[in-house]
Amino acid sequence: MTTTFDEMSSAQRSIERDWVPNRFEPRDTWLPIAHGRDIDAFASRRQVYSAPCFLWRAKGKLHASRRHPDVPAHRRGSARSEREDSWTGDYPVLERYGYVWVWRGDPNRADASLVPDVPYLPFDAALPAYMQGTVRFDCCAPLLIENLLDLTHADFLHAGVLGDAHSDEDRIDVQYTSETVTMIRHCKNKSVAPIMRWFGGVQAKYQDVRAVIHVHVRSAVALAYGRYTPGIDLKLFHPCVPESRDRCRLNFTLDARSAPFPLRYLMPITPYIVGPQDNVMVGPQNSRYARPDPRRDLFSRFDGAGARYRFLLQQIARRQDAGDFAYAPDARPDRDVRALLGMTE
Ligand SMILES: [Fe+2]
C-alpha cells in the first residue's frame, strides 16, 4: 500500500499531535539484543525496557533469563518487576543472522517464524567482527527509528560521509503493512557519497541512489539497503534495542563484503561517525517529551513515513491493550523482502 498524509484521517492526525514515543512497550516480539559472538559461558547482562536480561551459553545451548545463572532460584527476581511485567524467568531465545534474539511476550506464542527476514545476512552465521559494532544513543528506540525513517536528513546531518542534498530528481515513496513501514528514496544525479569517492574508487561527481529503510515497528528493527550507481550496495542491519525510556543500543551489522579494499574495512566504521551526529539531534529531543510543553516536537505532516510509523505503533498499542497480540496476515515478519529492498532489480 502507498499513502500520503492527506489520505489519513483526522483521528490519525490527533494521534500524531499527542505523540510521546516512549510510552508503549510492545510485546510478543523477537528482539536482537546482542551479537552472537559477544555471548559465551560467562553471563552477559543486557537491558530491555529497563529490565535485566542475562545471556550465556552452557553445554552448547544459548540461555536468556531475567536472573543471573549463579543466583539461587529462591532469591532471584523481584516481586515488583514481575508484577509489572510478566516477562520473567527464562526467555525463549534463538540465534539467527549472527544475533541473539530474545522473545519478549508470552513464551507460548514464541515462534521462530516471527523473526524478521534479513535477506542480505547469512541465516546461520555472523559476518566478520569488523563488520559488526555497537553505538549507544540517549533516546528511546522509536525516536531513533523515526530519525532513520527520514532518509533525507542524511543530506544535512551526514553530508560529509554520505553526500549533500544536490540531485536532479528526488522521489520518496512510502509503503506499509500493519507492522512495517518502508521508505524508498530515488535520487538522480545526486552528489556522490564522499566515502565512495575517497575509498571506493568512484570517480564520478554524481551517482543515482535508491535507498530503502524497512522498519519492523514491533521489534524496532530496521533494514537499510542503498544501491549507488556508479558505486556499491550499502547493506546495514540496524536493530534499535530498547534499553529504557531514554536509552537505546544499536548493534549493527554492515555487510561490506562486496566493497573493494580498503572500503570493505572503512565502511563499517561509518556508524561510529554517523551515530553520534544523530545523537546530537535525538538526545535532546528525547528529554523534551518529559517536559509539560504543549508542543514537544516540530513534527512535519509532510513526513509520510514518520507519520505512518507513529500511527502503526499506536495501533499496535491499542490492539495489545485490548489483549490482541497476533500479527495480521499482511505483516508476517518473515515475509521475503528482497524485492522491496531492491535486491532483485
Ligand atoms: Fe542519521
mmCIF file of all heavy atoms in Angstrom, residues 90-119:
data_model
loop_
_atom_site.group_PDB
_atom_site.id
_atom_site.type_symbol
_atom_site.label_atom_id
_atom_site.label_comp_id
_atom_site.label_asym_id
_atom_site.label_seq_id
_atom_site.Cartn_x
_atom_site.Cartn_y
_atom_site.Cartn_z
ATOM 1 N N ASP A 90 13.094 -17.489 32.541
ATOM 2 C CA ASP A 90 13.842 -17.766 31.327
ATOM 3 C C ASP A 90 13.026 -17.360 30.110
ATOM 4 O O ASP A 90 11.825 -17.592 30.042
ATOM 5 C CB ASP A 90 14.169 -19.260 31.255
ATOM 6 C CG ASP A 90 15.132 -19.648 32.371
ATOM 7 O OD1 ASP A 90 15.764 -18.742 32.947
ATOM 8 O OD2 ASP A 90 15.228 -20.848 32.669
ATOM 9 N N TYR A 91 13.715 -16.786 29.152
ATOM 10 C CA TYR A 91 13.033 -16.321 27.949
ATOM 11 C C TYR A 91 13.337 -17.237 26.778
ATOM 12 O O TYR A 91 14.459 -17.735 26.659
ATOM 13 C CB TYR A 91 13.506 -14.913 27.577
ATOM 14 C CG TYR A 91 13.500 -13.942 28.707
ATOM 15 C CD1 TYR A 91 14.618 -13.160 28.967
ATOM 16 C CD2 TYR A 91 12.381 -13.793 29.510
ATOM 17 C CE1 TYR A 91 14.622 -12.250 30.008
ATOM 18 C CE2 TYR A 91 12.384 -12.896 30.547
ATOM 19 C CZ TYR A 91 13.510 -12.127 30.791
ATOM 20 O OH TYR A 91 13.506 -11.236 31.817
ATOM 21 N N PRO A 92 12.378 -17.408 25.891
ATOM 22 C CA PRO A 92 12.711 -18.080 24.637
ATOM 23 C C PRO A 92 13.828 -17.305 23.936
ATOM 24 O O PRO A 92 13.820 -16.067 23.917
ATOM 25 C CB PRO A 92 11.404 -18.005 23.836
ATOM 26 C CG PRO A 92 10.331 -17.861 24.877
ATOM 27 C CD PRO A 92 10.949 -17.036 25.964
ATOM 28 N N VAL A 93 14.780 -18.032 23.402
ATOM 29 C CA VAL A 93 15.934 -17.380 22.780
ATOM 30 C C VAL A 93 16.381 -18.211 21.580
ATOM 31 O O VAL A 93 16.249 -19.442 21.588
ATOM 32 C CB VAL A 93 17.079 -17.195 23.813
ATOM 33 C CG1 VAL A 93 17.561 -18.528 24.359
ATOM 34 C CG2 VAL A 93 18.229 -16.371 23.262
ATOM 35 N N LEU A 94 16.872 -17.550 20.557
ATOM 36 C CA LEU A 94 17.422 -18.263 19.407
ATOM 37 C C LEU A 94 18.512 -17.408 18.778
ATOM 38 O O LEU A 94 18.671 -16.228 19.100
ATOM 39 C CB LEU A 94 16.323 -18.618 18.388
ATOM 40 C CG LEU A 94 15.466 -17.512 17.783
ATOM 41 C CD1 LEU A 94 16.197 -16.774 16.673
ATOM 42 C CD2 LEU A 94 14.168 -18.076 17.232
ATOM 43 N N GLU A 95 19.260 -18.020 17.889
ATOM 44 C CA GLU A 95 20.361 -17.315 17.239
ATOM 45 C C GLU A 95 20.133 -17.331 15.729
ATOM 46 O O GLU A 95 19.866 -18.385 15.155
ATOM 47 C CB GLU A 95 21.684 -18.007 17.579
ATOM 48 C CG GLU A 95 22.896 -17.135 17.354
ATOM 49 C CD GLU A 95 24.108 -17.627 18.146
ATOM 50 O OE1 GLU A 95 24.017 -18.709 18.757
ATOM 51 O OE2 GLU A 95 25.137 -16.932 18.133
ATOM 52 N N ARG A 96 20.206 -16.165 15.119
ATOM 53 C CA ARG A 96 19.999 -16.063 13.672
ATOM 54 C C ARG A 96 20.660 -14.788 13.157
ATOM 55 O O ARG A 96 20.638 -13.771 13.848
ATOM 56 C CB ARG A 96 18.499 -16.055 13.359
ATOM 57 C CG ARG A 96 18.198 -16.197 11.884
ATOM 58 C CD ARG A 96 16.722 -16.288 11.626
ATOM 59 N NE ARG A 96 16.136 -17.534 12.088
ATOM 60 C CZ ARG A 96 14.845 -17.839 11.954
ATOM 61 N NH1 ARG A 96 14.029 -16.990 11.381
ATOM 62 N NH2 ARG A 96 14.382 -18.988 12.388
ATOM 63 N N TYR A 97 21.198 -14.846 11.952
ATOM 64 C CA TYR A 97 21.861 -13.693 11.311
ATOM 65 C C TYR A 97 23.021 -13.159 12.168
ATOM 66 O O TYR A 97 23.347 -11.964 12.111
ATOM 67 C CB TYR A 97 20.862 -12.558 11.050
ATOM 68 C CG TYR A 97 19.627 -12.954 10.294
ATOM 69 C CD1 TYR A 97 18.367 -12.755 10.833
ATOM 70 C CD2 TYR A 97 19.721 -13.534 9.026
ATOM 71 C CE1 TYR A 97 17.219 -13.117 10.147
ATOM 72 C CE2 TYR A 97 18.574 -13.901 8.331
ATOM 73 C CZ TYR A 97 17.336 -13.680 8.895
ATOM 74 O OH TYR A 97 16.204 -14.034 8.214
ATOM 75 N N GLY A 98 23.590 -14.017 13.041
ATOM 76 C CA GLY A 98 24.696 -13.563 13.889
ATOM 77 C C GLY A 98 24.239 -12.833 15.132
ATOM 78 O O GLY A 98 25.052 -12.207 15.814
ATOM 79 N N TYR A 99 22.935 -12.903 15.446
ATOM 80 C CA TYR A 99 22.384 -12.205 16.615
ATOM 81 C C TYR A 99 21.707 -13.173 17.573
ATOM 82 O O TYR A 99 21.173 -14.204 17.151
ATOM 83 C CB TYR A 99 21.328 -11.182 16.177
ATOM 84 C CG TYR A 99 21.912 -9.950 15.542
ATOM 85 C CD1 TYR A 99 22.278 -9.949 14.203
ATOM 86 C CD2 TYR A 99 22.109 -8.784 16.281
ATOM 87 C CE1 TYR A 99 22.824 -8.828 13.608
ATOM 88 C CE2 TYR A 99 22.655 -7.654 15.692
ATOM 89 C CZ TYR A 99 23.014 -7.683 14.358
ATOM 90 O OH TYR A 99 23.548 -6.573 13.781
ATOM 91 N N VAL A 100 21.689 -12.787 18.840
ATOM 92 C CA VAL A 100 20.888 -13.477 19.837
ATOM 93 C C VAL A 100 19.545 -12.758 19.908
ATOM 94 O O VAL A 100 19.486 -11.558 20.233
ATOM 95 C CB VAL A 100 21.575 -13.449 21.218
ATOM 96 C CG1 VAL A 100 20.654 -14.047 22.276
ATOM 97 C CG2 VAL A 100 22.900 -14.189 21.164
ATOM 98 N N TRP A 101 18.489 -13.468 19.552
ATOM 99 C CA TRP A 101 17.128 -12.900 19.559
ATOM 100 C C TRP A 101 16.393 -13.419 20.781
ATOM 101 O O TRP A 101 16.323 -14.638 20.995
ATOM 102 C CB TRP A 101 16.357 -13.304 18.310
ATOM 103 C CG TRP A 101 16.941 -12.828 17.005
ATOM 104 C CD1 TRP A 101 18.055 -13.310 16.387
ATOM 105 C CD2 TRP A 101 16.441 -11.784 16.158
ATOM 106 N NE1 TRP A 101 18.279 -12.630 15.203
ATOM 107 C CE2 TRP A 101 17.295 -11.701 15.038
ATOM 108 C CE3 TRP A 101 15.335 -10.918 16.236
ATOM 109 C CZ2 TRP A 101 17.088 -10.776 14.001
ATOM 110 C CZ3 TRP A 101 15.128 -10.002 15.202
ATOM 111 C CH2 TRP A 101 15.999 -9.936 14.102
ATOM 112 N N VAL A 102 15.843 -12.520 21.576
ATOM 113 C CA VAL A 102 15.107 -12.902 22.772
ATOM 114 C C VAL A 102 13.632 -12.540 22.567
ATOM 115 O O VAL A 102 13.312 -11.470 22.043
ATOM 116 C CB VAL A 102 15.683 -12.171 24.009
ATOM 117 C CG1 VAL A 102 14.802 -12.384 25.224
ATOM 118 C CG2 VAL A 102 17.106 -12.652 24.286
ATOM 119 N N TRP A 103 12.776 -13.454 22.968
ATOM 120 C CA TRP A 103 11.331 -13.233 22.806
ATOM 121 C C TRP A 103 10.801 -12.460 23.997
ATOM 122 O O TRP A 103 10.936 -12.880 25.140
ATOM 123 C CB TRP A 103 10.621 -14.574 22.686
ATOM 124 C CG TRP A 103 9.116 -14.507 22.606
ATOM 125 C CD1 TRP A 103 8.235 -14.759 23.610
ATOM 126 C CD2 TRP A 103 8.322 -14.193 21.458
ATOM 127 N NE1 TRP A 103 6.936 -14.619 23.163
ATOM 128 C CE2 TRP A 103 6.964 -14.273 21.844
ATOM 129 C CE3 TRP A 103 8.627 -13.846 20.125
ATOM 130 C CZ2 TRP A 103 5.916 -14.025 20.955
ATOM 131 C CZ3 TRP A 103 7.575 -13.598 19.256
ATOM 132 C CH2 TRP A 103 6.250 -13.695 19.662
ATOM 133 N N ARG A 104 10.196 -11.326 23.720
ATOM 134 C CA ARG A 104 9.545 -10.562 24.781
ATOM 135 C C ARG A 104 8.043 -10.743 24.619
ATOM 136 O O ARG A 104 7.455 -10.237 23.656
ATOM 137 C CB ARG A 104 9.908 -9.099 24.694
ATOM 138 C CG ARG A 104 9.258 -8.312 25.796
ATOM 139 C CD ARG A 104 9.689 -6.869 25.817
ATOM 140 N NE ARG A 104 9.288 -6.256 27.071
ATOM 141 C CZ ARG A 104 8.130 -5.628 27.253
ATOM 142 N NH1 ARG A 104 7.272 -5.509 26.277
ATOM 143 N NH2 ARG A 104 7.844 -5.113 28.433
ATOM 144 N N GLY A 105 7.430 -11.464 25.555
ATOM 145 C CA GLY A 105 5.999 -11.703 25.463
ATOM 146 C C GLY A 105 5.660 -13.059 26.037
ATOM 147 O O GLY A 105 6.441 -13.646 26.789
ATOM 148 N N ASP A 106 4.492 -13.560 25.675
ATOM 149 C CA ASP A 106 4.041 -14.865 26.161
ATOM 150 C C ASP A 106 4.915 -15.964 25.547
ATOM 151 O O ASP A 106 4.913 -16.131 24.321
ATOM 152 C CB ASP A 106 2.573 -15.059 25.763
ATOM 153 C CG ASP A 106 1.993 -16.345 26.326
ATOM 154 O OD1 ASP A 106 2.773 -17.269 26.651
ATOM 155 O OD2 ASP A 106 0.756 -16.417 26.433
ATOM 156 N N PRO A 107 5.637 -16.746 26.386
ATOM 157 C CA PRO A 107 6.534 -17.777 25.840
ATOM 158 C C PRO A 107 5.792 -18.796 24.983
ATOM 159 O O PRO A 107 6.367 -19.358 24.049
ATOM 160 C CB PRO A 107 7.115 -18.456 27.089
ATOM 161 C CG PRO A 107 6.836 -17.533 28.220
ATOM 162 C CD PRO A 107 5.659 -16.694 27.850
ATOM 163 N N ASN A 108 4.519 -19.005 25.269
ATOM 164 C CA ASN A 108 3.748 -19.985 24.491
ATOM 165 C C ASN A 108 3.526 -19.534 23.047
ATOM 166 O O ASN A 108 3.193 -20.337 22.189
ATOM 167 C CB ASN A 108 2.382 -20.237 25.152
ATOM 168 C CG ASN A 108 2.539 -20.835 26.529
ATOM 169 O OD1 ASN A 108 3.329 -21.759 26.726
ATOM 170 N ND2 ASN A 108 1.833 -20.282 27.501
ATOM 171 N N ARG A 109 3.687 -18.245 22.816
ATOM 172 C CA ARG A 109 3.478 -17.741 21.447
ATOM 173 C C ARG A 109 4.793 -17.477 20.719
ATOM 174 O O ARG A 109 4.788 -16.968 19.603
ATOM 175 C CB ARG A 109 2.613 -16.476 21.496
ATOM 176 C CG ARG A 109 1.173 -16.734 21.953
ATOM 177 C CD ARG A 109 0.271 -15.544 21.685
ATOM 178 N NE ARG A 109 0.608 -14.390 22.508
ATOM 179 C CZ ARG A 109 -0.036 -14.047 23.614
ATOM 180 N NH1 ARG A 109 -1.057 -14.770 24.035
ATOM 181 N NH2 ARG A 109 0.331 -12.982 24.306
ATOM 182 N N ALA A 110 5.914 -17.808 21.372
ATOM 183 C CA ALA A 110 7.213 -17.618 20.707
ATOM 184 C C ALA A 110 7.305 -18.570 19.523
ATOM 185 O O ALA A 110 7.145 -19.772 19.675
ATOM 186 C CB ALA A 110 8.337 -17.878 21.698
ATOM 187 N N ASP A 111 7.550 -18.008 18.356
ATOM 188 C CA ASP A 111 7.555 -18.803 17.133
ATOM 189 C C ASP A 111 8.705 -18.275 16.262
ATOM 190 O O ASP A 111 8.749 -17.081 15.951
ATOM 191 C CB ASP A 111 6.193 -18.613 16.449
ATOM 192 C CG ASP A 111 6.098 -19.353 15.126
ATOM 193 O OD1 ASP A 111 7.143 -19.784 14.594
ATOM 194 O OD2 ASP A 111 4.968 -19.474 14.616
ATOM 195 N N ALA A 112 9.608 -19.180 15.894
ATOM 196 C CA ALA A 112 10.803 -18.754 15.139
ATOM 197 C C ALA A 112 10.439 -18.084 13.808
ATOM 198 O O ALA A 112 11.212 -17.284 13.289
ATOM 199 C CB ALA A 112 11.716 -19.947 14.905
ATOM 200 N N SER A 113 9.256 -18.375 13.284
ATOM 201 C CA SER A 113 8.886 -17.763 12.005
ATOM 202 C C SER A 113 8.530 -16.285 12.169
ATOM 203 O O SER A 113 8.305 -15.588 11.178
ATOM 204 C CB SER A 113 7.710 -18.513 11.376
ATOM 205 O OG SER A 113 6.513 -18.230 12.077
ATOM 206 N N LEU A 114 8.470 -15.799 13.402
ATOM 207 C CA LEU A 114 8.174 -14.384 13.634
ATOM 208 C C LEU A 114 9.435 -13.515 13.703
ATOM 209 O O LEU A 114 9.371 -12.319 13.975
ATOM 210 C CB LEU A 114 7.350 -14.221 14.920
ATOM 211 C CG LEU A 114 5.942 -14.836 14.874
ATOM 212 C CD1 LEU A 114 5.266 -14.746 16.234
ATOM 213 C CD2 LEU A 114 5.078 -14.159 13.810
ATOM 214 N N VAL A 115 10.608 -14.131 13.474
ATOM 215 C CA VAL A 115 11.846 -13.342 13.374
ATOM 216 C C VAL A 115 11.844 -12.614 12.028
ATOM 217 O O VAL A 115 11.579 -13.234 10.995
ATOM 218 C CB VAL A 115 13.097 -14.249 13.467
ATOM 219 C CG1 VAL A 115 14.370 -13.444 13.226
ATOM 220 C CG2 VAL A 115 13.159 -14.933 14.829
ATOM 221 N N PRO A 116 12.114 -11.304 12.022
ATOM 222 C CA PRO A 116 12.133 -10.583 10.737
ATOM 223 C C PRO A 116 13.130 -11.179 9.744
ATOM 224 O O PRO A 116 14.205 -11.636 10.130
ATOM 225 C CB PRO A 116 12.565 -9.169 11.145
ATOM 226 C CG PRO A 116 12.136 -9.030 12.569
ATOM 227 C CD PRO A 116 12.319 -10.398 13.163
ATOM 228 N N ASP A 117 12.754 -11.156 8.488
ATOM 229 C CA ASP A 117 13.627 -11.620 7.406
ATOM 230 C C ASP A 117 14.717 -10.578 7.146
ATOM 231 O O ASP A 117 14.426 -9.395 6.973
ATOM 232 C CB ASP A 117 12.769 -11.813 6.138
ATOM 233 C CG ASP A 117 13.592 -12.271 4.947
ATOM 234 O OD1 ASP A 117 14.486 -13.115 5.135
ATOM 235 O OD2 ASP A 117 13.337 -11.776 3.828
ATOM 236 N N VAL A 118 15.975 -11.013 7.167
ATOM 237 C CA VAL A 118 17.090 -10.114 6.821
ATOM 238 C C VAL A 118 17.849 -10.788 5.681
ATOM 239 O O VAL A 118 18.821 -11.514 5.907
ATOM 240 C CB VAL A 118 18.033 -9.856 8.023
ATOM 241 C CG1 VAL A 118 19.016 -8.730 7.684
ATOM 242 C CG2 VAL A 118 17.237 -9.503 9.279
ATOM 243 N N PRO A 119 17.400 -10.567 4.438
ATOM 244 C CA PRO A 119 17.857 -11.418 3.329
ATOM 245 C C PRO A 119 19.330 -11.252 2.965
ATOM 246 O O PRO A 119 19.885 -12.116 2.314
ATOM 247 C CB PRO A 119 16.958 -10.972 2.167
ATOM 248 C CG PRO A 119 16.487 -9.613 2.530
ATOM 249 C CD PRO A 119 16.398 -9.587 4.021
#
